Amino acid sequence: MAFAALDAARRDWSYALRALRRTPGFTVGAVLILGLGIGMTTAMLSVFNSALLQKLPVREQDRLVVLWPVGKGGTEVPFDSAGYETLRGNSHTMEGLAGFAHWGATESAISDGDQPLHVRQALVTGNFFSVLGAAPVLGRLLQPSDDGKGTSHVMVISYSLWQSRFHGDRSVIGKQLSWRSAGWSYTIVGVAPPGLDYPIGTDYWAPAWAGMWFDMVGRLKPGATPAAAQAELADAVKRKQEETGTPLLAGAFARPLTEAIYGDIRPAMLVMTAAAGLLLLIACTNVGNLLLLRAAGRVREIAVRRALGASRSDIFRQFLAESTVLGLLGGALGLGIASGLLRLFTAIAPQGFPRADMIRVAGMPLVVGIAVTLATVILTGLAPLMSAGRADVDAPLLRLDSRAGTESRGRRRVRQALVAGQVALALVVLAGASLLTRSLIRLERLPLGLTPDRFTIVQLIPPVLTDTSYVPWIAELDRLLPAIRSLPGVVGVTPILAPPFTGSNTFTGVLEVEGRPEPPGESSPRISFDAVGADFFRAFDLPLLRGRGFTDADRIGTPLVAVVTNAIARRSWPGEDPIGKRVRFLGEAGDQTWRTVIGVSEDVHFREFRTATPMMFVEYHQMSFWQGT
């Protein structure tokens, strides 16, 4: 009995393959449509599931919040180490508080023997991982005893770096990587769990240095809320400002860790995933129409098979096998397409895309895509054919002069309904794509104040300095810049402290205007600054509205100078000519710290993409520190 059933199944599948081979146009078209629909939908669902839906590898992620003070004008401001220690020791809303360098994950050049590694470093307090509640994949994570160890430097590498660079080698523990720009080596003590991507883009975590300024991540006590933690931080900020007498901050802000990681990407991912689901429905509808058209030409075939003795169950099994083969072929092609799309996505994903190391073809999205498609193929393929399977063997369908290949009225209505549904879904996708394209065009045409399409940004790692000054590094820059400027096609070359669009909290301060005795208040928000060279305004194609830019005469030992953006000029000297006015950052002392304004530039989107950032530019020779970009 069992052998007979197996033999019948083998015949059904063999006939199904022969039947599909007899109609190659239909088979190839249907499989391609299904493969594209399943592949693109599975890839998009996999990204959404891996990056956004899967839990973070931490304990009770809903109790984790990220906190930072807020300056005048809404700028994010780090908290100094003393304020962080005070808040950590006296918090009533958080059972644990850790700090990390407010600049997040930054480029760092380390070397594995003679092989250089271009990776991103995050400096954190020793209790960072214990506050998160993370467990290592290998070795151990940082701990409070790692803080302040002097010359004993340890690091925890990310799971993605462990896989990509060290190929999952478990003997990596104890390996030393040289950080030549700092003059020491890090010892790898552990591997972080996959998906622990905070700060975003981190390749390795190392203990923070003494006296750093922090953003903070805290674990709420049971029953506490982010709003309560925010209020507590705001009170701490207020008390600290009263103690120091410098009211530079406006308050505090707190939000869940998941929001800090995902940022604004969740709404966009929801829209893209919904569009992928609609695409799968369109693919299913297309295949349904193809099956209905094919069914119209097979009515006589079914009637002949019934006349030769085939039962209704034989007909059912036969077409079930054909529909299943079609769906499985489409699913196999879709799996290959999804894998290729995900490899492409991970290769071109923008830096900072959250949890990129977790993106892979997920089981659930693939199962859902294939299940929906198989259900559509089977139901659409069997329903019209089984109506013919119920026909009597002496029906007019067997006559040579019958209109056996024409559609019935009911089948035509079904096909018309499918076409109408397909058009409706296509219009929805088209409308969404049009809106998305319109938004992208607006962003592309956003007046940035500079011309970004011809930039090449190179990060230079300064050599180990044997003294506390940055003069040797400046001398090295002075040697390199003319050589780069002489290359064919180079219009201008300039150093900058940080690449564009790194955030409004990068290199900020409160500007003090000479002759304005009132203390800083709402009219004196924090501004960003950068150190640049004489070619800066030409290289960035940033117009000067009045005055001049920097020249080779602006050097160490000459009067300090600055160029400000138009927003600062309007706010600081309304109705006056800013050229010749003097400014400095609050906290700088002595007459020699004043900088003379020599030029006013157009407002520029330099720190943030969507909004213009009030900026002050200074000549890099006249800076008291340097990091080099």
Side-chain angles (χ1 to χ4, degrees):
M1 194 72 166
F3 288 108
L6 288 175
D7 186 63
R10 182 189 60 78
R11 289 197 306 271
D12 290 338
W13 287 95
S14 176
Y15 184 83
L17 291 172
R18 291 200 304 272
L20 292 175
R21 282 200 300 267
R22 284 198 300 268
T23 54
F26 163 79
T27 303
V28 172
V31 170
L32 283 177
I33 292 171
L34 289 175
L36 288 172
I38 293 174
M40 296 184 71
T41 304
T42 301
M44 198 66 234
L45 287 175
S46 296
V47 172
F48 186 78
N49 178 71
S50 301
L52 299 180
L53 292 186
Q54 289 186 6
K55 291 285 188 180
L56 300 174
V58 298
R59 175 171 52 88
E60 298 177 285
Q61 68 178 35
D62 295 337
R63 291 173 55 195
L64 293 172
V65 292
V66 178
L67 308 100
W68 58 85
V70 178
K72 309 295 184 181
T75 304
E76 298 176 9
V77 181
F79 214 24
D80 62 43
S81 57
Y84 155 72
E85 293 289 352
T86 300
L87 179 63
R88 187 181 70 165
N90 299 285
S91 176
H92 300 292
T93 63
M94 291 172 287
E95 63 183 32
L97 184 68
F100 57 94
H102 71 279
W103 51 75
T106 57
E107 303 290 346
S108 170
I110 60 177
S111 58
D112 178 10
D114 295 332
Q115 298 297 318
L117 300 178
H118 192 62
V119 292
R120 294 174 64 84
Q121 173 201 71
L123 299 176
V124 301
T125 57
N127 65 337
F128 179 78
F129 292 102
S130 62
V131 169
L132 293 181
V137 171
L138 191 66
R140 68 171 179 88
L141 302 178
L142 298 181
Q143 52 197 23
S145 60
D146 292 319
D147 287 331
K149 275 198 168 185
T151 58
S152 177
H153 303 284
V154 296
M155 67 189 303
V156 171
I157 61 175
S158 69
Y159 184 86
S160 59
L161 181 64
W162 183 47
Q163 293 294 320
S164 61
R165 171 63 190 179
F166 303 105
H167 311 292
D169 184 3
R170 301 183 68 85
S171 65
V172 73
I173 301 300
K175 189 178 186 62
Q176 289 194 332
L177 302 180
S178 174
W179 191 20
R180 295 179 179 176
S181 62
W184 62 63
S185 294
Y186 279 125
T187 300
I188 299 175
V189 297
V191 178
L196 186 60
D197 190 17
Y198 196 74
I200 299 295
T202 298
D203 290 311
Y204 74 92
W205 296 263
W209 307 327
M212 290 187 64
W213 290 63
F214 296 119
D215 284 351
M216 295 164 287
V217 57
R219 177 170 291 278
L220 296 173
K221 291 182 177 179
T225 63
Q230 177 175 316
E232 184 176 57
L233 177 58
D235 289 340
V237 167
K238 183 178 179 181
R239 288 194 303 271
K240 186 170 184 60
Q241 292 190 137
E242 290 173 351
E243 293 172 1
T244 59
T246 54
L248 304 180
L249 302 178
F253 192 75
R255 60 175 173 170
L257 176 64
T258 52
E259 290 185 14
I261 292 177
Y262 301 141
D264 298 331
I265 197 172
R266 185 184 292 272
M269 290 294 296
L270 284 171
V271 172
M272 296 296 292
T273 303
L278 290 177
L279 181 65
L280 179 60
L281 290 178
I282 292 175
C284 292
T285 306
N286 267 320
V287 174
N289 272 322
L290 290 176
L291 288 170
L292 285 172
L293 288 173
R294 186 168 183 254
R298 302 186 68 184
V299 174
R300 179 175 292 165
E301 173 195 340
I302 297 171
V304 170
R305 295 186 64 191
R306 291 279 286 121
L308 294 175
S311 66
R312 290 191 179 94
S313 62
D314 292 332
I315 301 295
F316 179 84
R317 288 198 320 272
Q318 182 58 59
F319 290 105
L320 177 62
E322 289 186 25
S323 299
T324 303
V325 168
L326 203 61
L328 290 176
L329 290 174
L333 178 61
L335 178 59
I337 292 175
S339 299
L341 289 175
L342 289 180
R343 284 195 295 271
L344 176 63
F345 180 84
T346 53
I348 66 174
Q351 188 173 342
F353 188 87
R355 292 157 57 82
D357 61 323
M358 297 294 291
I359 296 175
R360 56 183 58 88
V361 177
M364 185 55 66
L366 181 62
V367 170
V368 170
I370 293 179
V372 170
T373 308
L374 275 177
T376 302
V377 171
I378 291 172
L379 292 176
T380 310
L382 289 180
L385 293 173
M386 289 309 297
S387 65
R390 291 190 296 267
D392 295 328
V393 295
D394 57 346
L397 295 172
L398 297 175
R399 293 171 50 190
L400 293 177
D401 60 346
S402 68
R403 302 173 62 194
T406 61
E407 287 185 301
S408 67
R409 183 177 301 176
R411 192 178 299 128
R412 189 182 302 113
R413 288 175 179 173
V414 173
R415 192 166 60 84
Q416 290 172 347
L418 287 175
V419 171
Q422 178 183 350
V423 171
L425 291 172
L427 287 175
V428 172
V429 174
L430 181 62
S434 299
L435 292 175
L436 180 60
T437 302
R438 184 179 179 184
S439 299
L440 291 175
I441 290 175
R442 284 185 175 180
L443 289 175
E444 188 178 82
R445 295 178 178 175
L446 189 68
L448 301 179
L450 49 84
T451 306
D453 57 345
R454 292 180 290 119
F455 290 162
T456 297
I457 297 177
V458 179
Q459 183 170 19
L460 303 177
I461 306 301
V464 178
L465 303 181
T466 57
D467 54 42
T468 57
S469 74
Y470 68 107
V471 174
W473 175 229
I474 294 299
E476 187 69 15
L477 277 178
D478 289 342
R479 185 186 67 82
L480 287 174
L481 294 182
I484 298 174
R485 189 182 295 112
S486 65
L487 295 175
V490 175
V491 175
V493 57
T494 177
I496 53 177
L497 286 178
F501 314 131
T502 53
S504 61
N505 63 339
T506 304
F507 295 113
T508 66
V510 175
L511 200 62
E512 182 181 355
V513 179
E514 187 180 33
R516 181 177 296 171
E518 67 271 15
E522 292 296 336
S523 61
S524 299
R526 299 182 74 90
I527 68 163
S528 294
F529 68 93
D530 213 305
V532 302
D535 278 353
F536 173 78
F537 298 98
R538 178 168 62 252
F540 278 78
D541 199 17
L542 179 60
L544 287 171
L545 302 180
R546 58 175 68 94
R548 68 172 178 87
F550 302 114
T551 68
D552 292 335
D554 299 315
R555 288 291 188 269
I556 299 174
T558 63
L560 302 183
V561 292
V563 175
V564 298
T565 57
N566 197 30
I568 294 178
R570 291 195 306 268
R571 185 177 62 223
S572 302
W573 305 281
E576 301 180 41
D577 185 1
I579 304 300
K581 299 293 194 296
R582 298 208 301 174
V583 295
R584 66 182 177 186
F585 283 111
L586 193 68
E588 294 180 324
D591 189 68
Q592 74 278 5
T593 60
W594 289 104
R595 296 180 181 272
T596 301
V597 176
I598 60 172
V600 177
S601 76
E602 183 64 82
D603 289 331
V604 60
H605 296 233
F606 194 75
R607 290 286 185 245
E608 293 185 310
F609 181 75
R610 293 180 179 271
T611 58
T613 312
M615 294 283 301
M616 182 174 77
F617 301 102
V618 301
E619 215 284 331
Y620 74 94
H621 290 90
Q622 299 181 344
M623 280 295 296
S624 58
F625 71 94
W626 191 256
Q627 70 173 32
T629 300

